[in-house]
Amino acid sequence: MTVKKHGNRWRAMVRKNGEYLGSRVFDLKRDAEAYERKLLEECADGIDVRQGSRQVSEYVADFHENRELMNRVSEATRETDKHMFKRVPTWFLSLRVKDVKTHHVEKVLAEDAREHTRKEGSIIRYRTTLSAFFTYLMNTRQIITRNPARAAAIPGAQLSPEKIPWLSTEIHERFLIWRDKDKGMAEVALVIYFLALRWGEARAMEVGDVVLDGQPRVLVQRSLSEGKTIPKSTKTNKARWVPISNVVLPILQRKVDGRGKRERLFPALTRTRFKWRLRWDETGQGKNLHSLRHGGITAWAEAGVPVPLMQRWAGHARVETTMKYVHLVGDQASAAGIAMLNAQNQRLGITAK
C-alpha cells in the first residue's frame, strides 16, 4: 500500500516495478489515492512522470534542437521561437513541467503585455511559441498529458470594429466594387466571408467538400499554407460543417459543376494574386484578408445565431473567442435573438392572455 497516514494527513508514495514515480501529501485519503491512480495510469500510457519533475528551463534547449532536427518548421519560425523564449520570466522557467497550469501561462502573457505594452498580435505569437513547446513535451517527449498554453486567454484581447470591418449590409457594397475589378476573385471573397473561412482553409478546399444535396453545406477539414503543396489539418485539428448561405449558393454551384471531387475549389489561389486582382490596397479599406472571416462570424452574431452553433461553425476551440463577436455587435445581436424568439412563439401560438 503506497497511501499511508502522515500525521493528520495522507502521503501517497508511488512506485511501479520498484521505480519511484512521485510523492505528495494530501489532507484527504481519497485525494492521495486519486494522485496514485493518476501517476500509475500515466505511466501505463507511456508518460514518463519522473521527467515531469524537471524544470521548464531544462527542456528549452531540447525543444529548439528537436525543431531543427525534424525540419518541420521554417528557419524564420525557429528564430522567432528562440526570440520569444527570451521573454519568458525566470519564475516560469523554474516551475516543474508537470506543475504548469493554464493560469501560469496567462500570468506570463499578462505580465509581458503590461510591462512592455505589447500589441495583441505579439502576445498571440508569444502564446503560440509556448503552446508549441508544451506540445513537444506532450507528444514527442511524452512527459505531460495536456498542453496548458492551448487554452490560455489573451489578456485584454478585444475585437475592434477595425478588425471586423464589414457587417452583412456592408459586404455587398464591397462585393460590387471588387466585381468591377475581377468577378472571379470577388466571388472568392464573398464565399470566404459567408463561410467564415481562414485563408488556408479556403486554399485547401476541394470540390468534394461542397455538399449541395439536402441542407447545402461545406466540410472544412484541411488547411494549405502559402508556398506549400501538401495540406495540413485545420487550426484546431478538427473538421467542421458550415452551412451555405443563399447568397453564395449559386457561386458554389457554378464552381463545382462538372469538376472532379479532388480538384481544388479555388485553384492557384494566393494572397498576392487575390490582392492584386481586387486592388486590395485601394478597395480593402486598410483591412487584412482575415477580416473577411471576422466579418462572416460577425454576420452570424448579427443574425442572432446561438453562440454554441457559431462556435461550431467557426471552428473556435474556446467559446470566449466566439463571445467577442457577440459583444461587438451588442444590441443588434440581442434584437435579432428576440426577433427569433418572438417568431417561434408566434408559430407555436404562444401568447399571453
Side-chain angles (χ1 to χ4, degrees), residues 162-180:
E162 289 74 22
K163 290 186 178 180
I164 306 181
W166 299 300
L167 301 181
S168 57
T169 54
E170 299 169 328
I171 192 63
H172 295 286
E173 177 187 349
R174 287 295 101 195
F175 173 69
L176 294 176
I177 293 173
W178 291 331
R179 190 176 62 181
D180 288 340

Side-chain angles (χ1 to χ4, degrees), residues 153-164:
I154 300 299
Q158 296 293 329
L159 291 175
S160 64
E162 289 74 22
K163 290 186 178 180
I164 306 181

Side-chain angles (χ1 to χ4, degrees), residues 12-23:
M13 181 77 73
V14 188
R15 296 179 180 275
K16 183 175 182 180
N17 299 329
E19 292 189 25
Y20 173 78
L21 300 181
S23 175

Side-chain angles (χ1 to χ4, degrees), residues 205-262:
M205 189 161 289
E206 298 177 354
V207 171
D209 296 327
V210 181
V211 178
L212 300 176
D213 297 333
Q215 173 62 57
R217 60 199 186 279
V218 297
L219 178 61
V220 184
Q221 58 181 330
R222 63 183 76 83
S223 179
L224 182 61
S225 301
E226 295 276 342
K228 302 293 184 180
T229 57
I230 300 177
K232 58 183 180 181
S233 60
T234 62
K235 184 176 181 180
T236 57
N237 297 316
K238 294 182 180 179
R240 67 185 190 275
W241 287 101
V242 184
I244 300 174
S245 165
N246 289 338
V247 177
V248 296
L249 181 58
I251 297 174
L252 290 174
Q253 287 173 330
R254 293 196 302 271
K255 292 288 185 183
V256 304
D257 187 34
R259 298 176 62 195
K261 290 187 175 182
R262 295 308 306 273

Side-chain angles (χ1 to χ4, degrees), residues 135-194:
T135 296
Y136 160 72
L137 295 182
M138 183 173 64
N139 295 340
T140 304
R141 296 297 299 266
Q142 295 187 315
I143 295 171
I144 56 177
T145 58
R146 59 181 294 275
N147 182 343
R150 184 167 295 162
I154 300 299
Q158 296 293 329
L159 291 175
S160 64
E162 289 74 22
K163 290 186 178 180
I164 306 181
W166 299 300
L167 301 181
S168 57
T169 54
E170 299 169 328
I171 192 63
H172 295 286
E173 177 187 349
R174 287 295 101 195
F175 173 69
L176 294 176
I177 293 173
W178 291 331
R179 190 176 62 181
D180 288 340
K181 306 297 181 184
D182 189 292
K183 181 181 178 181
M185 285 301 183
E187 290 182 342
V188 171
L190 210 61
V191 170
I192 292 175
Y193 179 96
F194 280 100

Side-chain angles (χ1 to χ4, degrees), residues 296-311:
I297 301 173
T298 306
W300 296 338
E302 281 185 279
V305 175
V307 172
L309 197 54
M310 285 177 55
Q311 181 185 4

